[in-house]
Amino acid sequence: MTGGRARTAPPRNYAVDPEKWPDARIVGEPAAAVVQTIARRLAAALGDRPELSLRALAAQSDVGRQTIGDLLAGAGWPDVLTVCRLEHALGLALWPGSDATQCVHD
């Protein structure tokens, strides 16, 4: 499994202007750009649903509130299970090119 040093810095550190995360320009790390897209889509989904707090999304998705906050802030690298659970809870795709219906849990 790869990863190594690429995961020692949070995704927002790969931005030229990290204070503009998740709308900052990413240089040199494609994985950080993917996390940025996920963070943008998650922020938009939460913005479209003002009644849905981080705490409520955490309860619905079984993803920790801090994990969701870190993803939104570009402070952490989400794993596939985290993204899938969030997609399922929101009913929409967060991962670029994904189909949220693939994350349906029985």
Side-chain angles (χ1 to χ4, degrees), residues 8 16-17 19-21 23 25 28-30 35 38 46-47 49 53 55 58 67 70 76 80 90 94 104:
T8 59
V16 173
D17 44 0
E19 68 283 350
K20 293 184 179 179
W21 182 271
D23 298 314
R25 190 168 60 91
E29 182 52 60
V35 174
I38 294 167
L46 289 170
R49 302 174 193 183
S53 66
R55 186 174 309 234
T67 300
D70 286 348
V80 173
L90 293 167
L94 298 174
V104 174

Side-chain angles (χ1 to χ4, degrees), residues 5-15 18 21 26 29 32 35 70 73-77:
R5 294 184 318 148
R7 295 182 103 193
T8 59
R12 81 181 271 139
N13 283 15
Y14 292 96
W21 182 271
I26 301 290
E29 182 52 60
V35 174
D70 286 348
W77 297 93

